[in-house]
Amino acid sequence: MDMTHDGPHPTPGTLASPGAEAPFLELLARGATVEAYEEPVPAAREAGACEAHLAALEHAKRLALRVRSELADRRRREAELSALFETAHDLAGPRDLDSVLQAIVQRARSLLGTDVAYLTLNDPARGDTFMRVTEGSVAARFQQLRLGMGEGLGGLVAQTARPYVTEDYFHDSRFQHTSVIDTGVQDEGLVAILGVPLMLGPHVIGVLFAADRRARVFERAQTALLGSFAALAAAAIESADLLDGTRAALSELEHAHEIIQDRSAVIERASDVHDRLAELVLRGGGVHDVAAAVSEVLDGSVEFIDTVPEAAAGALRSDGHAVRHGDDWIAAVAAGDQQLGGLVLRGHPALDPVDQRTFERAAMVTSLLLLARRSAGDAEQRVRGELLDDLLDARHRDPALLRRRADRLGARLDTPHVMLAAQPDAAPDASVDEEAAVRRRLWAAAAHLAATGHGLAATRDGGTVLLLPLADGDTAAGLARRTAVHLGAAVHEPVTVGASAPLHPLPAADAAPAAYTEARRCLDALRLLGRSGQGAAAEDFGFLGLLLAGPRDISGFVRRTIGPVLDYDRRRGTELVRTLDAYYAAGSSPARTKDTLHVHVNTVAQRLDRVARLLGDDWQSPARTLEIQLALRLHRLADALTG
């Protein structure tokens, strides 16, 4: 991360000012807004801080804002790359060309967030370019466009073999406008257009476009991302051409049985590796799993390297295909212009064209897996996680705006909800990678549970926090227990879940953070009590629940503990509560209790039998005795305050 200073540097004495960075580190830790970073310096100035300390604070603020900006950019990139990973299943298996190109255009539109995406291909026979696939288009004339070679923005891209972008199509004079193209673009209402070339070797075979119906600036990262999809589209077209050529050769050379067998074996190997790669992507395999699968299919040794030898790097950048390097083959593992490494195939000096494309496809899948690993979980945070983060951190957000965002996600915040804090309990001897894998599985399971249960989920404090609706007749404790079982089964590890008391409608400014604090207390209490892997709310902990709950639910505790005795006295006019008070005051001695109450000892015994029937046979166990005595005292105190 570039931490180069900008602005005036603090003096040496300023840099040594203690604690200058602390407030900004705290703001970074809780994901505060940009405006919050302006508060520490005026506060310090108002408190009478010296100029050196104020300078140090200014310096720390600049650094913190830079770090915040870098983190925000990284989150955006990772969210986009995680969406790119979703295309791996579509592209890893053998499919017909039309469905592959349609999937590529759909994903490109989704990733860049544009109104329209489309792909044009050159037609050498007619000497023009035609619209092959569109996504998001509403104008029939636009979908049927055929363009002369060199016309429009696509002509500029094809001539230069470089990406081009226009923020305002109709006022851009860099390319040749024609009435046919302009009419089609006008019918579609497009304004900002980005086009990247589809390359087969040094030749441009078409153009992949992303366009908006409003003025827009496309960033470099978005251009690189669309370029990656253009490379996938070109590879799919080339694979389809190769497969068509293979089929034609087989039909023409049907009499040559040896050739048929050889070609069938090649195709079978390609299909086998495609199936294996698709399975690896779906079950979250790693780079070394891809290398092992390709090694078996191609009958060679395949390994991933972080750095491609310089002698092969130039050929990889210019050609895009696997290249020979001595007796080895090397395929680039890249995302756009970003080189992530390479795959090396050893022990296989001669490659069949299909085997070469299989090897190149393995390198492509490897790049997707590497990109997906970098973007774990952030895509979901941009939808459900962002809203929950705002409820927990941004206390001054407009409730109406939050409610509308929740409605779009299918989360109905006008009904009672429960905040749940979940933490995995990995094995004590688990490695760092194993713990990270458990956390990723927990996040995936929690995100799915939130999405299917009309709730919200986010990652926080090394675990996951959920906000789930509470069904009629359900309790926070019951929801916590079910959630612990559900997440534990999904993660294949024990998961401990603490729950807050129910939150009613859209949480007020401080309600959500307080509920999360309560849920965390319950989670920590479960672990301290040796109940890891279980779920509970404050009501499950008896009088300890008073300490765990946010607002102290004293009346609820009294009702849960001695409610049946209170109700019996009220209905029957009896004195069971008074008898219990006297019984505990007399050291649990019925003989001394009868003297205090001035009744026969049999009367005391009968009343205590009634208490046992109301509270349960274990009412005199040490734990229950402590809770009952505390509830009696709180009840007397409440009566004194209200009487």
Side-chain angles (χ1 to χ4, degrees):
M1 186 180 297
D2 182 11
M3 298 301 293
T4 306
H5 300 307
D6 58 354
H9 293 268
T11 64
T14 300
L15 290 174
S17 180
E21 70 281 359
F24 299 104
L25 289 176
E26 181 182 352
L27 292 173
L28 283 170
R30 62 185 175 87
T33 62
V34 174
E35 291 77 8
Y37 288 77
E38 301 298 332
E39 297 174 0
V41 176
R45 183 176 290 112
E46 185 177 344
C50 65
E51 289 300 323
H53 186 67
L54 292 175
L57 281 173
E58 286 286 357
H59 179 64
K61 179 184 75 174
R62 289 193 298 273
L63 291 179
L65 286 173
R66 179 165 296 160
V67 171
R68 183 185 185 278
S69 176
E70 291 285 350
L71 290 174
D73 289 343
R74 180 166 296 179
R75 282 194 294 269
R76 284 194 296 271
R77 287 196 301 271
E78 290 178 348
E80 291 173 346
L81 294 175
S82 69
L84 179 60
F85 172 66
E86 295 175 4
T87 65
H89 179 55
D90 293 332
L91 303 180
R95 298 176 58 187
D96 65 275
L97 180 61
D98 287 337
S99 63
V100 170
L101 294 181
Q102 187 69 49
I104 289 173
V105 172
Q106 288 173 347
R107 297 296 187 190
R109 179 192 178 203
S110 173
L111 280 172
L112 272 68
T114 57
D115 297 323
V116 182
Y118 52 100
L119 184 148
T120 61
L121 291 179
N122 297 343
D123 188 345
R126 296 182 54 169
D128 63 2
T129 299
F130 65 97
M131 195 75 70
R132 178 62 184 269
V133 181
T134 64
E135 180 67 23
S137 171
V138 296
R141 186 183 315 190
F142 180 79
Q143 298 167 15
Q144 299 168 7
L145 276 179
R146 295 192 74 96
L147 322 173
M149 299 294 286
E151 295 177 353
L153 177 64
L156 182 62
V157 174
Q159 287 175 348
T160 61
R162 294 174 53 192
Y164 270 89
V165 61
T166 177
E167 298 176 19
D168 191 343
Y169 174 87
F170 290 100
H171 294 88
D172 197 328
S173 60
R174 292 177 299 169
F175 47 84
Q176 179 184 352
H177 288 266
T178 68
S179 59
V180 173
I181 301 176
D182 287 358
T183 301
V185 172
Q186 189 172 28
D187 285 353
E188 195 63 55
L190 302 181
V191 176
I193 305 175
L194 166 64
V196 297
L198 274 67
M199 305 289 297
L200 281 184
H203 304 294
V204 179
I205 62 169
V207 180
L208 179 60
F209 297 90
D212 257 352
R213 298 187 177 96
R214 54 182 173 79
R216 169 179 178 167
V217 176
F218 289 94
E219 300 175 356
R220 171 180 283 183
Q222 294 173 319
T223 302
L225 199 58
L226 194 62
S228 296
F229 272 102
L232 293 175
I237 292 169
E238 186 180 22
S239 295
D241 291 342
L242 182 60
L243 186 58
D244 289 343
T246 301
R247 289 170 177 167
L250 289 175
S251 64
E252 292 174 3
L253 302 174
E254 220 170 357
H255 60 281
H257 185 62
E258 296 81 6
I259 296 178
I260 293 175
Q261 285 184 323
D262 179 67
R263 183 56 56 184
S264 297
V266 170
I267 294 175
E268 184 177 350
R269 287 200 306 273
S271 177
D272 183 27
V273 76
H274 286 166
D275 290 343
R276 293 191 184 199
L277 294 179
E279 181 184 358
L280 285 174
V281 169
L282 291 174
R283 65 180 175 85
V287 172
H288 299 295
D289 296 322
V290 173
V294 180
S295 296
E296 292 181 18
V297 173
L298 297 185
D299 192 24
S301 172
V302 178
E303 65 173 319
F304 173 77
I305 56 175
D306 295 318
T307 305
V308 175
E310 189 59 35
L316 287 172
R317 283 193 293 268
S318 62
D319 187 68
H321 294 300
V323 298
R324 286 286 299 271
H325 181 64
D327 291 334
D328 302 330
W329 285 85
I330 299 180
V333 176
D337 296 333
Q338 185 181 8
Q339 194 80 9
L340 304 177
L343 283 187
V344 180
L345 172 62
R346 296 188 172 93
H348 209 312
L351 269 185
D352 179 276
V354 175
D355 284 345
Q356 181 177 338
R357 293 303 302 147
T358 296
F359 182 50
E360 292 164 355
R361 177 63 60 85
M364 187 182 303
V365 172
T366 300
S367 68
L368 292 175
L369 291 175
L370 288 175
L371 295 174
R373 182 181 299 174
R374 296 180 181 182
S375 60
D378 286 339
E380 183 67 18
Q381 282 187 332
R382 291 192 62 181
V383 284
R384 297 183 180 277
E386 259 185 7
L387 177 55
L388 184 51
D389 284 337
D390 285 348
L391 287 171
L392 291 171
D393 299 328
R395 303 184 179 185
H396 303 295
R397 289 292 179 97
D398 180 10
L401 176 61
L402 293 175
R403 186 177 288 107
R404 286 196 296 273
R405 289 171 56 189
D407 289 343
R408 287 195 295 270
L409 294 171
R412 295 171 50 195
L413 296 184
D414 56 348
T415 61
H417 280 65
V418 173
M419 194 78 70
L420 302 121
Q423 284 275 9
D425 296 287
D429 57 346
S431 66
V432 173
D433 288 342
E434 288 171 339
E435 290 181 357
V438 170
R439 286 194 295 271
R440 286 195 298 271
R441 292 199 299 271
L442 173 61
W443 164 240
H448 181 265
L449 179 60
T452 56
H454 305 290
L456 305 173
T459 56
R460 186 164 291 238
D461 299 330
T464 301
V465 55
L466 300 99
L467 184 65
L468 297 179
L470 187 66
D472 292 340
D474 200 359
T475 64
L479 181 58
R481 286 190 286 272
R482 290 195 304 278
T483 302
V485 172
H486 177 91
L487 295 179
V491 174
H492 306 299
E493 296 284 352
V495 175
T496 308
V497 177
S500 72
L503 292 166
H504 295 280
L506 180 69
D510 296 327
Y516 175 64
T517 299
E518 180 180 340
R520 285 286 309 180
R521 287 174 182 165
C522 289
L523 188 152
D524 293 339
L526 283 170
R527 287 181 159 178
L528 287 172
L529 294 172
R531 294 172 58 187
S532 294
Q534 300 182 26
E539 64 191 57
D540 289 321
F541 294 93
F543 75 93
L544 290 176
L546 291 177
L547 306 177
L548 299 174
R552 307 298 184 224
D553 186 14
I554 293 174
S555 62
F557 170 72
V558 171
R559 292 296 309 169
R560 288 193 298 271
T561 306
I562 61 171
V565 176
L566 295 173
D567 293 339
Y568 192 87
D569 275 354
R570 187 179 62 255
R571 291 195 308 267
R572 304 292 183 91
T574 54
E575 294 184 329
L576 296 184
V577 171
R578 181 166 172 257
T579 301
L580 276 174
D581 275 326
Y583 177 68
Y584 287 124
S588 301
S589 168
R592 289 197 294 271
T593 302
K594 65 139 174 108
D595 294 332
T596 302
L597 298 176
H598 306 293
V599 297
H600 195 275
V601 69
N602 289 341
T603 302
V604 175
Q606 291 169 2
R607 292 179 181 179
L608 294 180
D609 285 342
R610 175 60 63 184
V611 168
R613 286 195 292 272
L614 292 172
L615 300 183
D617 292 337
D618 65 338
W619 73 281
Q620 295 200 74
S621 66
R624 291 291 305 279
T625 296
L626 180 59
E627 291 183 3
I628 292 169
Q629 289 188 69
L630 178 58
L632 289 169
R633 292 195 179 200
L634 292 173
H635 176 63
R636 287 201 306 274
L637 179 60
D639 281 349
L641 293 175
T642 58

